[in-house]
Amino acid sequence: MKIIDAPVIVTSPGRNFVTLKITTDEGLVGYGDATLNGRELAVVSYLRDHLVPLLLGRDPHRIEDTWQLLYRGGYWRRGPVTMAAIAAVDVALWDIKAKAAGLPLYQLLGGASRDRVRTYGHANGHDLPALFDSIDEQLALGYQAVRVQTGIPGLGSVYGVDSGSASTSSTPVEEWDTAAYLRHMPHVFEEVRNRFGADLPLLHDAHHRLTPVEAARLGRELEPYHLFWLEDVTPAENQQALRLVRQHTTTPLALGEVFNTVFDYQTLVTEQLIDFVRSAVTHAGGITPMRKLCDFAALYQIKSGIHGPEDISPVGMAAAVHLDLALHNFGIQEYSGHTALTNQSFRHGYTFEDGHLHPGEEPGLGIVLDEELAAANPYDPAYLPVNRLRDGTVHDW
Ligand code: EZ4
Ligand code: CO
């Protein structure tokens, strides 16, 4: 079998998605997600101009060899653009291999380790009543674990609350005040626990905004509310910062959605400074290295918590759910769902019921992209917002 074509398709059914479609001389087609929120076209160029010419004529079955060729052959290692592009190729090749075998992808990854994949949804509210309504909505959708994000008194819109994780071109600046945030959050979790009880798994994302000592304080003050995890407390690129946080709190820690290789986790994993690895299949080089990362983490009793916001396309979501079903050290899968038009554009075999996903039994990933619909919804430039402190300083993220 040979790769004969690999077009890159960009579509915006509510937000931008980049999809690689690898076709073969035997008529098999594989899809890979290459979406990098806010920097989409850089990955399109990396694929079209640099990787696709290397793929034409190659045997699609040689997944590990192709991965090593693209990673090492580029000389310049790592980075989100490079690794999202390589991820798209890797996932598309796994899709083709599984279709050639006539099996759902999870069967090639060792088969199912569980019946279904637990997910968490996103509850957001500017104030407590709105947050309670949002948690009620998530529970009504069937979710059995919920991430809680809320506005802060005295601040305007807060990332992950009013703007969700949607990128925006009209209001890219949000005001931030760490002292106000640290004062408010324990009260929020106290109220949520009082209303929703002790059993509901609750998560929270600090979006890299804290210093190590601030993060340690937050983790300690949230201990009475027994979070499932506290995510991205400090800027991720400083792995050593987690030593201080870890020494001071038993709140479980999750980190790594901005990481793209196993090297980014080396200190965090070997020193057991976190409890969950958060990379997306889409951003960390695909199924091949994610499997290695999760197996490495397993040696240290660290579990997976694969990134699954709405800016991961259904292709990337399908890849994650196949991996989740197969991994022994699966923890939880983020799943915030997609717009109806997105689900129409990317027909998918995975299903969501009672807060759990299943990848389905179709051969491969179980995805078909409707290219006419994709063409009808072209690229729409958008930016993520930045945080500025009250004096105008750009803050950590
Ligand atoms: O901000 O995917 O845990 N999930 C998140 C996401 C990220 C976006 C960035 O593109 O933090 O909402
Ligand atoms: Co996050």
Side-chain angles (χ1 to χ4, degrees), residues 50-117:
H50 302 290
L51 297 195
V52 170
L54 301 174
L55 297 176
L56 301 179
R58 285 183 63 80
D59 176 359
H61 276 305
R62 297 186 61 176
I63 298 177
E64 178 74 31
D65 183 63
T66 302
W67 196 93
Q68 299 296 341
L69 172 81
L70 300 183
Y71 182 74
R72 295 175 201 284
Y75 187 77
W76 308 108
R77 309 291 167 87
R78 308 158 68 182
V81 175
T82 298
M83 299 311 288
I86 294 176
V89 175
D90 182 81
V91 170
L93 295 183
W94 277 108
D95 191 15
I96 289 169
K97 188 185 283 293
K99 283 173 180 162
L103 292 169
L105 174 58
Y106 75 82
Q107 294 288 12
L108 273 57
L109 303 174
S113 283
R114 59 194 49 76
D115 300 332
R116 54 188 192 159
V117 167

Side-chain angles (χ1 to χ4, degrees), residues 208 229-239 242 253-259 264-265 268 273-279 293 305:
H208 307 118
W229 79 36
L230 179 59
E231 174 181 346
D232 287 345
V233 281
T234 52
E237 51 274 50
N238 180 8
Q239 293 187 46
L242 272 294
L253 302 171
L255 202 107
E257 70 181 47
V258 298
F259 287 166
D264 304 316
Y265 287 98
L268 296 175
L273 301 180
I274 56 173
D275 300 281
F276 298 90
V277 294
R278 288 284 289 136
S279 286
L293 168 65

Side-chain angles (χ1 to χ4, degrees), residues 15 17 37 117-124 134 137-138 141 143 145-149 159-161 163-166 203 205 207 229 231 257 278 305-314 316-318 320-321 324 332-340 342-343 348 350 352 355-357:
R15 65 176 316 120
F17 294 114
N37 193 10
V117 167
R118 174 166 62 162
T119 69
Y120 69 90
H122 291 188
N124 312 301
S134 181
E137 276 169 35
Q138 294 296 300
L141 288 169
Y143 282 104
V146 181
R147 189 186 82 164
V148 168
Q149 305 296 123
Y159 183 70
V161 182
S163 57
S165 61
L203 301 84
D205 192 342
H207 286 299
W229 79 36
E231 174 181 346
E257 70 181 47
R278 288 284 289 136
I306 296 182
H307 195 210
E310 55 269 36
D311 47 286
I312 296 294
S313 88
M317 184 57 61
V321 178
D324 291 331
I332 201 165
Q333 172 64 52
E334 183 181 27
Y335 178 58
S336 42
H338 289 108
T339 64
T342 302
N343 287 326
H348 53 78
Y350 62 78
F352 178 73
H356 292 73
L357 283 161

